[in-house]
Amino acid sequence: MAMSQKKSTNDEGVGLKRHLGLLAAVNVIISVMIGSGIFVSSTAALKYSGSIGLCLIIWTACGVVSFLGALCFAELGTLVQRSGADYAYLLEGMRKLHKFWGPLPAFICAWVFVLFLRPAEVAVIILTFAEYTVQPFHKLLHLDELCPESQQQIIKLIALIALGLITYINMTSVQLYVKINNIFGFFKVVACLVVICGGIYNLAIGNTENLHEPLKGTITNAGSIALAFYNGLWAYDGWSSVTAITEEIKRPEVNIPRSISIGVPVITFLYVFMNLAYMSVLTPEEMINSKAVGLDFGERVLGSFAFIIPLGVALSTFGCALSVQFGVTRLCYVAGTEGHMSEPLSYVHIKKSTPVPSVVLQGVITALFILSGDIETLIEVASFLIWVFYGLAFVALMIMRKTRPNDHRPYKVPILVPILSILVAIFLVVVPIVTELSVKYLIPIGFILIGVGIYIPFVYYKTRPRFMDNISRIIQKLCEVVPPDTKAE
């Protein structure tokens, strides 16, 4: 077979290569954590906390909690040096506990993230990119004269073009991804610093009236404070992103803990001081009622340089979507090697060392979400599942402390850290359900049950339809991919 001949001529073997150094790893964290939220809708924590002072305390506390969770993943990433983050840790930590139930949480994790949650997130992020890309051309192209349906069609078209570009980058070269992500990461941090500097300037010229009574209006209701924490921690999500690509990081035992120790505190600094900048210019009422707090801030402070904010949103969303897709394709790849996804999804391009079938699958699913219409509500409903899998990963860490006590751990957190992280995960899973009892939460539960229905025949009993052999051969020929040379034992 032609493919096997090409494979045998590759002296280094076919598989994922370690192209990402420390800077690239830090930029992955920054790219995923900084999306559009901090520029557009960072006001939910203020709404539920009631005061500027408590809101800033919550933003800081959310950064600390995220850092503790990230440190748990740093230990997991150095102990289980496989891509896939939550999936890989659930697989290694639980599959030996029971023949049927042990691998099931890892499968459900892959099922939810690969086929629903991550592509839906990428779709929302790219649609936001399209909206802010179109914004400067509204008057030039007379877009305001079009009906809302036509405007949405244009936005969807631009989103699909952007998705095609992102998918092409992730298919073509990891080095190309690294270069582009580093550039976008640099500029989005610059955009954040512009906001912070604008806030410092505003305070320096004496506009401090908004900060005179920082605790005025503080809400002490436990439920409201819980929702403020929930929304703040949602904005920080992405701190585990570097562990999704472990197999492509140089010296992961060193660079994973270091990148987390750099990236998450940097984001915490940016988020806290950007919120302080917003609060120094806009009143709490103005922030809560703002549709795009960054744009309102820019119009007040930056003057003719206000274009930096929509530019920052465009750069942030494109870079974020690029990195989220990059990470979930690696989860898809690892799940393919384990038989939890179709085997062709584990195939790697013979020259480019990219999991092309996994990237294509993510591009197709994301395109369907873009075309389907309103998907933000679905993400809000299912977002608590992210913390379900975080919590299970923390449990897997504690299990592996018992089952693999003698394994080499280049980095190890105090046992109190995963315990605290498990409690936070339980809190974040329970809060949205308890505060809003609704049948809409049956949607993610139904999706999980469908996954269990797939798991039993195709994973547990290893049923394989005969036509899959023909599909595998077609994919190999079309995509120039082959199975990786090495798989985990």
Side-chain angles (χ1 to χ4, degrees):
M1 184 176 172
M3 286 296 167
S4 62
Q5 290 175 358
K6 288 183 180 181
K7 180 181 174 183
S8 64
T9 59
N10 188 334
D11 294 336
E12 296 182 357
V14 177
L16 303 182
K17 309 297 182 185
R18 298 194 183 277
H19 293 298
L20 286 79
L22 178 60
L23 175 62
V26 171
N27 265 313
V28 168
I29 295 174
I30 290 174
S31 290
V32 177
M33 291 185 74
I34 302 180
S36 63
I38 193 63
F39 295 102
V40 178
S41 56
S42 64
T43 59
L46 177 60
K47 174 183 175 182
Y48 290 113
S49 61
S51 69
I52 290 172
L54 181 58
C55 182
L56 291 175
I57 291 171
I58 288 173
W59 275 102
T60 305
C62 287
V64 173
V65 170
S66 298
F67 186 56
L68 294 178
L71 291 179
C72 293
F73 271 62
E75 177 178 337
L76 287 164
T78 56
L79 176 64
V80 181
Q81 294 192 13
R82 300 188 68 187
S83 296
D86 320 51
Y87 170 80
Y89 309 144
L90 293 179
L91 190 67
E92 296 298 324
M94 298 185 178
R95 66 175 164 184
K96 294 182 180 179
L97 299 181
H98 190 277
K99 186 178 179 180
F100 178 86
W101 297 107
L104 182 59
F107 171 81
I108 295 299
C109 178
W111 173 258
V112 170
F113 277 80
V114 170
L115 298 180
F116 173 61
L117 202 51
R118 292 309 187 201
E121 285 180 5
V122 173
V124 170
I125 295 167
I126 291 179
L127 285 168
T128 304
F129 164 81
E131 289 177 1
Y132 278 84
T133 302
V134 167
Q135 192 177 71
F137 303 102
H138 265 259
K139 293 182 179 179
L140 180 64
L141 300 178
H142 305 288
L143 296 180
D144 293 329
E145 300 174 8
L146 299 177
C147 64
E149 292 78 11
S150 297
Q151 291 182 23
Q152 284 302 310
Q153 293 301 319
I154 293 173
I155 289 173
K156 286 184 178 181
L157 177 60
I158 294 174
L160 290 172
I161 293 172
L163 173 63
L165 179 58
I166 285 170
T167 304
Y168 172 79
I169 291 169
N170 283 331
M171 284 173 55
T172 302
S173 168
V174 176
Q175 294 98 321
L176 178 61
Y177 160 78
V178 169
K179 290 177 182 178
I180 293 175
N181 194 51
N182 286 347
I183 293 170
F184 276 70
F186 171 78
F187 281 109
K188 69 168 63 178
V189 170
V190 169
C192 293
L193 292 175
V194 167
V195 172
I196 293 172
C197 290
I200 293 173
Y201 171 77
N202 186 64
L203 293 173
I205 61 176
N207 295 330
T208 60
E209 56 272 13
N210 289 349
L211 306 180
H212 282 166
E213 297 180 279
L215 296 178
K216 182 180 179 181
T218 296
I219 298 174
T220 56
N221 177 273
S224 295
I225 293 175
L227 287 172
F229 267 100
Y230 180 80
N231 284 278
L233 286 168
W234 171 247
Y236 277 97
D237 187 52
W239 43 260
S240 66
S241 53
V242 72
T243 57
I245 56 173
T246 300
E247 293 176 44
E248 291 165 281
I249 295 177
K250 300 173 183 176
R251 301 176 64 208
E253 70 281 357
V254 174
N255 286 330
I256 286 178
R258 285 183 180 176
S259 62
I260 286 172
S261 298
I262 296 170
V264 178
V266 165
I267 298 299
T268 302
F269 169 84
L270 293 175
Y271 277 10
V272 171
F273 283 92
M274 285 180 74
N275 274 281
L276 179 60
Y278 293 149
M279 294 168 182
S280 71
V281 174
L282 305 171
T283 65
E285 292 76 18
E286 289 173 329
M287 284 190 64
I288 291 172
N289 295 322
S290 175
K291 293 183 178 179
V293 64
L295 295 182
D296 292 342
F297 172 88
E299 290 175 359
R300 296 274 188 93
V301 176
L302 302 180
S304 59
F305 292 97
F307 70 89
I308 291 175
I309 302 300
L311 177 62
V313 174
L315 292 173
S316 293
T317 48
F318 187 89
C320 181
L322 179 68
S323 290
V324 171
Q325 188 194 74
F326 186 88
V328 73
T329 57
R330 273 52 185 178
L331 190 161
C332 188
Y333 158 84
V334 175
T337 65
E338 291 291 335
H340 286 181
M341 289 284 165
S342 180
E343 182 185 341
L345 296 175
S346 69
Y347 293 172
V348 179
H349 195 277
I350 56 176
K351 294 181 180 178
K352 298 173 183 177
S353 298
T354 57
V356 173
S358 292
V359 177
V360 171
L361 175 67
Q362 286 301 300
V364 170
I365 297 175
T366 303
L368 293 175
F369 275 117
I370 290 173
L371 294 171
S372 66
D374 182 21
I375 52 180
E376 291 193 36
T377 302
L378 289 176
I379 291 181
E380 290 174 1
V381 171
S383 62
F384 75 95
L385 291 175
I386 293 175
W387 278 93
V388 170
F389 297 117
Y390 282 161
L392 290 173
F394 301 142
V395 171
L397 171 60
M398 299 186 69
I399 290 173
M400 285 189 281
R401 287 278 183 95
K402 296 292 185 181
T403 58
R404 299 168 61 171
N406 299 320
D407 284 13
H408 176 59
R409 288 173 167 79
Y411 179 82
K412 187 175 181 180
V413 294
I415 193 65
L416 182 62
V417 175
I419 292 174
L420 176 61
S421 298
I422 290 170
L423 294 176
V424 170
I426 293 171
F427 165 78
L428 291 172
V429 170
V430 172
V431 164
I433 298 175
V434 171
T435 55
E436 188 183 358
L437 293 174
S438 173
V439 295
K440 66 185 182 181
Y441 286 105
L442 295 176
I443 296 173
I445 294 172
F447 191 73
I448 288 173
L449 291 177
I450 293 172
V452 174
I454 298 292
Y455 172 82
I456 294 172
F458 297 110
V459 178
Y460 184 69
Y461 288 109
K462 295 181 171 57
T463 302
R464 177 181 170 84
R466 292 183 178 180
F467 65 82
M468 284 304 301
D469 292 332
N470 292 329
I471 292 177
S472 296
R473 284 193 288 269
I474 292 170
I475 291 174
Q476 281 188 277
K477 292 178 180 179
L478 287 178
C479 299
E480 295 186 302
V481 293
V482 293
D485 284 346
T486 56
K487 296 182 182 180
E489 293 294 327

PDB file of all heavy atoms in Angstrom, residues 445-461:
ATOM      1  N   ILE A 445     -27.972  16.482  29.569  1.00  0.00           N
ATOM      2  CA  ILE A 445     -28.168  15.142  30.122  1.00  0.00           C
ATOM      3  C   ILE A 445     -28.565  14.173  29.002  1.00  0.00           C
ATOM      4  O   ILE A 445     -28.063  13.040  28.935  1.00  0.00           O
ATOM      5  CB  ILE A 445     -29.239  15.163  31.237  1.00  0.00           C
ATOM      6  CG1 ILE A 445     -28.724  15.982  32.427  1.00  0.00           C
ATOM      7  CG2 ILE A 445     -29.605  13.752  31.666  1.00  0.00           C
ATOM      8  CD1 ILE A 445     -29.756  16.219  33.500  1.00  0.00           C
ATOM      9  N   GLY A 446     -29.447  14.618  28.121  1.00  0.00           N
ATOM     10  CA  GLY A 446     -29.842  13.782  26.994  1.00  0.00           C
ATOM     11  C   GLY A 446     -28.672  13.468  26.078  1.00  0.00           C
ATOM     12  O   GLY A 446     -28.529  12.335  25.593  1.00  0.00           O
ATOM     13  N   PHE A 447     -27.810  14.466  25.856  1.00  0.00           N
ATOM     14  CA  PHE A 447     -26.645  14.255  24.997  1.00  0.00           C
ATOM     15  C   PHE A 447     -25.699  13.228  25.616  1.00  0.00           C
ATOM     16  O   PHE A 447     -25.125  12.388  24.916  1.00  0.00           O
ATOM     17  CB  PHE A 447     -25.921  15.588  24.771  1.00  0.00           C
ATOM     18  CG  PHE A 447     -24.866  15.534  23.708  1.00  0.00           C
ATOM     19  CD1 PHE A 447     -25.211  15.464  22.369  1.00  0.00           C
ATOM     20  CD2 PHE A 447     -23.516  15.556  24.050  1.00  0.00           C
ATOM     21  CE1 PHE A 447     -24.242  15.419  21.383  1.00  0.00           C
ATOM     22  CE2 PHE A 447     -22.541  15.508  23.073  1.00  0.00           C
ATOM     23  CZ  PHE A 447     -22.906  15.436  21.735  1.00  0.00           C
ATOM     24  N   ILE A 448     -25.552  13.288  26.945  1.00  0.00           N
ATOM     25  CA  ILE A 448     -24.702  12.312  27.643  1.00  0.00           C
ATOM     26  C   ILE A 448     -25.293  10.907  27.526  1.00  0.00           C
ATOM     27  O   ILE A 448     -24.569   9.932  27.294  1.00  0.00           O
ATOM     28  CB  ILE A 448     -24.532  12.718  29.120  1.00  0.00           C
ATOM     29  CG1 ILE A 448     -23.627  13.954  29.219  1.00  0.00           C
ATOM     30  CG2 ILE A 448     -23.951  11.571  29.937  1.00  0.00           C
ATOM     31  CD1 ILE A 448     -23.523  14.524  30.612  1.00  0.00           C
ATOM     32  N   LEU A 449     -26.613  10.797  27.672  1.00  0.00           N
ATOM     33  CA  LEU A 449     -27.263   9.476  27.566  1.00  0.00           C
ATOM     34  C   LEU A 449     -27.093   8.893  26.165  1.00  0.00           C
ATOM     35  O   LEU A 449     -26.906   7.679  26.016  1.00  0.00           O
ATOM     36  CB  LEU A 449     -28.743   9.600  27.924  1.00  0.00           C
ATOM     37  CG  LEU A 449     -29.056   9.907  29.397  1.00  0.00           C
ATOM     38  CD1 LEU A 449     -30.554  10.079  29.608  1.00  0.00           C
ATOM     39  CD2 LEU A 449     -28.502   8.813  30.304  1.00  0.00           C
ATOM     40  N   ILE A 450     -27.143   9.747  25.150  1.00  0.00           N
ATOM     41  CA  ILE A 450     -26.877   9.267  23.787  1.00  0.00           C
ATOM     42  C   ILE A 450     -25.445   8.730  23.709  1.00  0.00           C
ATOM     43  O   ILE A 450     -25.188   7.695  23.087  1.00  0.00           O
ATOM     44  CB  ILE A 450     -27.093  10.402  22.764  1.00  0.00           C
ATOM     45  CG1 ILE A 450     -28.572  10.793  22.700  1.00  0.00           C
ATOM     46  CG2 ILE A 450     -26.609   9.972  21.377  1.00  0.00           C
ATOM     47  CD1 ILE A 450     -28.846  12.021  21.865  1.00  0.00           C
ATOM     48  N   GLY A 451     -24.516   9.442  24.366  1.00  0.00           N
ATOM     49  CA  GLY A 451     -23.128   8.981  24.398  1.00  0.00           C
ATOM     50  C   GLY A 451     -22.987   7.618  25.036  1.00  0.00           C
ATOM     51  O   GLY A 451     -22.231   6.761  24.558  1.00  0.00           O
ATOM     52  N   VAL A 452     -23.726   7.390  26.131  1.00  0.00           N
ATOM     53  CA  VAL A 452     -23.686   6.077  26.787  1.00  0.00           C
ATOM     54  C   VAL A 452     -24.206   5.008  25.831  1.00  0.00           C
ATOM     55  O   VAL A 452     -23.667   3.889  25.758  1.00  0.00           O
ATOM     56  CB  VAL A 452     -24.515   6.091  28.086  1.00  0.00           C
ATOM     57  CG1 VAL A 452     -24.598   4.692  28.692  1.00  0.00           C
ATOM     58  CG2 VAL A 452     -23.908   7.069  29.085  1.00  0.00           C
ATOM     59  N   GLY A 453     -25.256   5.363  25.059  1.00  0.00           N
ATOM     60  CA  GLY A 453     -25.793   4.432  24.083  1.00  0.00           C
ATOM     61  C   GLY A 453     -24.797   4.085  22.982  1.00  0.00           C
ATOM     62  O   GLY A 453     -24.810   2.969  22.448  1.00  0.00           O
ATOM     63  N   ILE A 454     -23.919   5.015  22.646  1.00  0.00           N
ATOM     64  CA  ILE A 454     -22.860   4.764  21.669  1.00  0.00           C
ATOM     65  C   ILE A 454     -21.731   3.944  22.302  1.00  0.00           C
ATOM     66  O   ILE A 454     -21.153   3.044  21.688  1.00  0.00           O
ATOM     67  CB  ILE A 454     -22.298   6.093  21.118  1.00  0.00           C
ATOM     68  CG1 ILE A 454     -23.391   6.879  20.380  1.00  0.00           C
ATOM     69  CG2 ILE A 454     -21.087   5.852  20.219  1.00  0.00           C
ATOM     70  CD1 ILE A 454     -23.864   6.233  19.101  1.00  0.00           C
ATOM     71  N   TYR A 455     -21.432   4.245  23.568  1.00  0.00           N
ATOM     72  CA  TYR A 455     -20.317   3.610  24.274  1.00  0.00           C
ATOM     73  C   TYR A 455     -20.488   2.101  24.390  1.00  0.00           C
ATOM     74  O   TYR A 455     -19.539   1.336  24.168  1.00  0.00           O
ATOM     75  CB  TYR A 455     -20.184   4.238  25.664  1.00  0.00           C
ATOM     76  CG  TYR A 455     -19.192   3.568  26.583  1.00  0.00           C
ATOM     77  CD1 TYR A 455     -17.833   3.847  26.492  1.00  0.00           C
ATOM     78  CD2 TYR A 455     -19.620   2.663  27.558  1.00  0.00           C
ATOM     79  CE1 TYR A 455     -16.919   3.243  27.344  1.00  0.00           C
ATOM     80  CE2 TYR A 455     -18.713   2.056  28.413  1.00  0.00           C
ATOM     81  CZ  TYR A 455     -17.366   2.346  28.301  1.00  0.00           C
ATOM     82  OH  TYR A 455     -16.469   1.740  29.137  1.00  0.00           O
ATOM     83  N   ILE A 456     -21.682   1.656  24.730  1.00  0.00           N
ATOM     84  CA  ILE A 456     -21.894   0.232  25.028  1.00  0.00           C
ATOM     85  C   ILE A 456     -21.551  -0.659  23.839  1.00  0.00           C
ATOM     86  O   ILE A 456     -20.716  -1.568  23.962  1.00  0.00           O
ATOM     87  CB  ILE A 456     -23.330  -0.008  25.538  1.00  0.00           C
ATOM     88  CG1 ILE A 456     -23.517   0.682  26.892  1.00  0.00           C
ATOM     89  CG2 ILE A 456     -23.615  -1.505  25.662  1.00  0.00           C
ATOM     90  CD1 ILE A 456     -24.951   0.686  27.397  1.00  0.00           C
ATOM     91  N   PRO A 457     -22.131  -0.436  22.640  1.00  0.00           N
ATOM     92  CA  PRO A 457     -21.813  -1.364  21.543  1.00  0.00           C
ATOM     93  C   PRO A 457     -20.459  -1.115  20.897  1.00  0.00           C
ATOM     94  O   PRO A 457     -19.739  -2.065  20.556  1.00  0.00           O
ATOM     95  CB  PRO A 457     -22.951  -1.125  20.540  1.00  0.00           C
ATOM     96  CG  PRO A 457     -23.398   0.264  20.798  1.00  0.00           C
ATOM     97  CD  PRO A 457     -23.202   0.505  22.253  1.00  0.00           C
ATOM     98  N   PHE A 458     -20.092   0.182  20.712  1.00  0.00           N
ATOM     99  CA  PHE A 458     -18.926   0.482  19.880  1.00  0.00           C
ATOM    100  C   PHE A 458     -17.610   0.588  20.659  1.00  0.00           C
ATOM    101  O   PHE A 458     -16.535   0.443  20.074  1.00  0.00           O
ATOM    102  CB  PHE A 458     -19.165   1.775  19.090  1.00  0.00           C
ATOM    103  CG  PHE A 458     -20.310   1.672  18.126  1.00  0.00           C
ATOM    104  CD1 PHE A 458     -21.488   2.362  18.343  1.00  0.00           C
ATOM    105  CD2 PHE A 458     -20.218   0.855  17.005  1.00  0.00           C
ATOM    106  CE1 PHE A 458     -22.552   2.252  17.461  1.00  0.00           C
ATOM    107  CE2 PHE A 458     -21.279   0.744  16.115  1.00  0.00           C
ATOM    108  CZ  PHE A 458     -22.450   1.444  16.344  1.00  0.00           C
ATOM    109  N   VAL A 459     -17.681   0.856  21.954  1.00  0.00           N
ATOM    110  CA  VAL A 459     -16.451   0.964  22.754  1.00  0.00           C
ATOM    111  C   VAL A 459     -16.316  -0.243  23.680  1.00  0.00           C
ATOM    112  O   VAL A 459     -15.305  -0.954  23.654  1.00  0.00           O
ATOM    113  CB  VAL A 459     -16.428   2.279  23.564  1.00  0.00           C
ATOM    114  CG1 VAL A 459     -15.162   2.345  24.431  1.00  0.00           C
ATOM    115  CG2 VAL A 459     -16.490   3.481  22.630  1.00  0.00           C
ATOM    116  N   TYR A 460     -17.341  -0.500  24.496  1.00  0.00           N
ATOM    117  CA  TYR A 460     -17.240  -1.592  25.464  1.00  0.00           C
ATOM    118  C   TYR A 460     -17.192  -2.947  24.766  1.00  0.00           C
ATOM    119  O   TYR A 460     -16.353  -3.794  25.076  1.00  0.00           O
ATOM    120  CB  TYR A 460     -18.409  -1.525  26.445  1.00  0.00           C
ATOM    121  CG  TYR A 460     -18.326  -2.561  27.531  1.00  0.00           C
ATOM    122  CD1 TYR A 460     -17.339  -2.476  28.521  1.00  0.00           C
ATOM    123  CD2 TYR A 460     -19.219  -3.622  27.583  1.00  0.00           C
ATOM    124  CE1 TYR A 460     -17.253  -3.432  29.531  1.00  0.00           C
ATOM    125  CE2 TYR A 460     -19.151  -4.574  28.585  1.00  0.00           C
ATOM    126  CZ  TYR A 460     -18.157  -4.478  29.553  1.00  0.00           C
ATOM    127  OH  TYR A 460     -18.068  -5.420  30.538  1.00  0.00           O
ATOM    128  N   TYR A 461     -18.109  -3.158  23.808  1.00  0.00           N
ATOM    129  CA  TYR A 461     -18.137  -4.436  23.083  1.00  0.00           C
ATOM    130  C   TYR A 461     -17.326  -4.413  21.798  1.00  0.00           C
ATOM    131  O   TYR A 461     -17.233  -5.427  21.102  1.00  0.00           O
ATOM    132  CB  TYR A 461     -19.589  -4.833  22.776  1.00  0.00           C
ATOM    133  CG  TYR A 461     -20.354  -5.285  23.999  1.00  0.00           C
ATOM    134  CD1 TYR A 461     -21.356  -4.500  24.547  1.00  0.00           C
ATOM    135  CD2 TYR A 461     -20.054  -6.498  24.610  1.00  0.00           C
ATOM    136  CE1 TYR A 461     -22.048  -4.904  25.679  1.00  0.00           C
ATOM    137  CE2 TYR A 461     -20.745  -6.920  25.745  1.00  0.00           C
ATOM    138  CZ  TYR A 461     -21.735  -6.115  26.273  1.00  0.00           C
ATOM    139  OH  TYR A 461     -22.418  -6.528  27.407  1.00  0.00           O
TER     140      TYR A 461
END
